[in-house]
Amino acid sequence: AQSVTQLGSHVSVSEGALVLLRCNYSSSVPPYLFWYVQYPNQGLQLLLKYTTGATLVKGINGFEAEFKKSETSFHLTKPSAHMSDAAEYFCAVSAQSRRGGNKLTFGTGTQLKVEL
Amino acid sequence: DAGITQSPRHKVTETGTPVTLRCHQTENHRYMYWYRQDPGHGLRLIHYSYGVKDTDKGEVSDGYSVSRSKTEDFLLTLESATSSQTSVYFCAIRGGGSYNEQFFGPGTRLTVL
């Protein structure tokens, strides 16, 4: 079974500071990993994904994440936070279902606050 | 934009009443999903569909049923709503790429009094 742990339900950074949101996963097979962002009263938007190949993945809005198999981690980073980055972020791992489609298992989310 | 709409967007109902939520997609995707989002739990899969009339349970399926009579519509039904089903419900589709990413609708906020 897959699982995802996001350390820190709330993270606060200053505008211009580094953003680091932590995600650790458990998977019995090579995982597909995703980061989603949710702005208030909206659905989830895909930020980036890791499938195979390059372990450093770049996404939208200047975010990137590094897949580290030895640490079972997929932490999300952004060099310089902007006020518009304030949102909730979800890490997810994909497992193939017996019916052919995939199922996503989500972490509990990290609320990012950006302060002036 | 994955062409996903959900209706209604907001609903308040009373305990014991039946409720149906609709997810509609315009791009002929085979796989569709229903999740619920609750504080401290992230999103949890309720049911999913792998084709017309083909559905399967997720991790929190008790108290919910689904139907998919045509490709574009995936319905979630609460036969007898309870207060524990107060939540935000999201529909998703699996995109056409090969990496299993899912794309989400705008959500339905359901309150059961």
Side-chain angles (χ1 to χ4, degrees):
Chain A
Q2 265 60 10
S3 67
V4 173
T5 301
Q6 290 184 240
L7 294 176
S9 59
H10 292 80
V11 170
S12 183
V13 301
S14 300
E15 191 174 36
L18 172 71
V19 175
L20 171 60
L21 305 183
R22 300 179 185 274
C23 172
N24 288 88
Y25 70 92
S26 171
S27 176
S28 57
V29 298
Y32 289 170
L33 294 159
F34 307 87
W35 276 100
Y36 286 85
V37 60
Q38 184 181 34
Y39 299 102
N41 299 313
Q42 294 187 24
L44 277 71
Q45 181 182 0
L46 181 65
L47 262 183
L48 50 79
K49 58 180 182 267
Y50 168 77
T51 54
T52 57
T55 56
L56 183 62
V57 179
K58 294 188 184 298
I60 62 172
N61 301 338
F63 284 93
E64 60 184 35
E66 186 172 10
F67 171 66
K68 292 186 176 180
K69 183 178 179 180
S70 61
E71 299 177 9
T72 61
S73 68
F74 190 55
H75 302 330
L76 182 70
T77 60
K78 183 175 181 177
S80 177
H82 191 271
M83 296 295 290
S84 61
D85 295 326
E88 189 158 23
Y89 293 81
F90 293 93
C91 182
V93 62
S94 175
Q96 194 72 10
S97 76
R98 59 195 174 98
R99 302 294 188 181
N102 66 308
K103 297 181 184 180
L104 288 182
T105 299
F106 284 86
T108 53
T110 298
Q111 188 72 44
L112 175 65
K113 182 179 180 181
V114 182
E115 300 175 317
L116 287 171
Chain B
D1 185 356
I4 306 169
T5 57
Q6 293 184 231
S7 59
R9 294 293 313 279
H10 301 271
K11 186 171 181 67
V12 180
T13 191
E14 294 192 350
T15 297
T17 59
V19 177
T20 295
L21 308 182
R22 179 183 184 234
C23 178
H24 179 78
Q25 55 130 336
T26 59
E27 298 183 0
N28 209 35
H29 294 288
R30 177 181 177 187
Y31 297 97
M32 299 183 73
Y33 308 81
W34 276 108
Y35 294 87
R36 59 177 290 173
Q37 181 181 21
D38 304 288
H41 291 276
L43 280 80
R44 293 176 290 174
L45 181 65
I46 305 171
H47 282 280
Y48 70 102
S49 170
Y50 48 99
V52 173
K53 292 187 173 30
D54 292 324
T55 64
D56 205 354
K57 296 180 180 180
E59 65 174 304
V60 290
S61 59
D62 287 349
Y64 301 94
S65 63
V66 290
S67 66
R68 192 166 177 202
S69 59
K70 46 187 178 177
T71 300
E72 58 266 35
D73 289 327
F74 191 29
L75 304 181
L76 177 70
T77 297
L78 292 65
E79 301 290 349
S80 178
T82 68
S83 59
S84 65
Q85 294 175 311
T86 292
S87 187
V88 181
Y89 292 87
F90 287 99
C91 174
I93 57 94
R94 195 185 83 170
S98 55
Y99 301 124
N100 294 334
E101 60 263 46
Q102 293 181 17
F103 298 95
F104 287 78
T108 294
R109 183 173 296 276
L110 176 67
T111 302
V112 183
L113 301 175

